[in-house]
């Protein structure tokens, strides 16, 4: 794995970054302006207070013959949000870095690294597009 302060420049700014969206009430909401569901800032919180957010890289997933549904296969009731890598790098304050970190269950796994205060999480949530809506139970 690369050093934490390095950004993987092979992940292009227009590449999609996919984030699973749990089907829990505080993870997505109806945006009345768009008349569509969107992820909330809670979806862009680091696990256990760290500085790393788990995502899947869209381009290699699709190029490898996978689909967006494959990105949520381990949690089929979850949804999927997409945000561009360049937005995360250049429009979130503080700026974030992206690093590949394949896992045994996700060959296209990556991390978004950087401090994610309320302002940063909110910016990512507003820029993200919900491409699979979580199953509402």
């Amino acid at each position: 794995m690369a050093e934490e302060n390095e950004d993987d420049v092979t992940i292009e700014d227009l590449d999609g970054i996919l984030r699973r969206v749990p089907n829990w009430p505080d993870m997505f909401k109806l945006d009345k302006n768009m008349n569509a569901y969107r992820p909330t800032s809670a979806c862009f919180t680091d696990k256990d207070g760290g500085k790393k957010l788990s995502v899947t890289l869209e381009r290699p997933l699709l190029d490898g013959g996978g689909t967006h549904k494959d990105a949520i296969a381990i949690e089929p009731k979850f949804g999927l949000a997409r945000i561009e890598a360049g937005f995360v790098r250049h429009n979130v304050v503080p700026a974030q870095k992206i690093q590949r970190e394949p896992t045994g269950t996700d060959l296209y796994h990556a991390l978004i690294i950087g401090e994610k205060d309320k302002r940063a999480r909110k910016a990512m949530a507003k820029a993200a597009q919900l491409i699979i809506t979580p199953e509402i139970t």
Side-chain angles (χ1 to χ4, degrees):
M1 188 173 119
E3 293 295 320
E4 187 167 309
N5 61 352
E6 292 180 23
D7 188 31
D8 185 339
V9 295
T10 66
I11 302 166
E12 298 178 16
D13 282 350
L14 293 177
D15 285 349
I17 305 295
L18 306 173
R19 175 75 173 147
R20 283 192 297 273
V21 178
N23 60 341
W24 308 330
D26 62 340
M27 294 294 183
F28 64 102
K29 69 179 183 178
L30 181 63
D31 184 320
K32 293 177 184 170
N33 294 326
M34 298 185 328
N35 196 30
Y37 285 100
R38 71 168 182 82
T40 66
S41 60
C43 291
F44 297 94
T45 301
D46 289 322
K47 189 174 187 177
D48 298 327
K51 294 182 181 179
K52 301 175 183 176
L53 183 68
S54 179
V55 295
T56 297
L57 300 172
E58 181 182 46
R59 184 169 39 103
L61 170 70
L62 299 179
D63 288 351
T67 67
H68 288 127
K69 286 196 177 213
D70 292 331
I72 60 168
I74 61 172
E75 294 288 352
K77 293 184 178 187
F78 281 20
L80 192 67
R82 180 187 189 278
I83 190 169
E84 287 188 355
F87 183 88
V88 171
R89 289 177 172 133
H90 309 297
N91 297 91
V92 174
V93 178
Q96 307 291 302
K97 296 175 192 290
I98 305 165
Q99 291 181 352
R100 294 174 198 271
E101 188 183 75
T103 67
T105 57
D106 185 356
L107 298 176
Y108 315 111
H109 183 261
L111 298 171
I112 297 177
I113 300 168
E115 184 66 33
K116 291 169 197 70
D117 61 15
K118 185 176 181 177
R119 179 178 167 196
R121 293 189 311 269
K122 189 173 182 177
M124 287 189 274
K126 286 191 170 194
Q129 174 190 12
L130 197 58
I131 57 176
I132 297 176
T133 303
E135 186 176 306
I136 302 169
T137 56

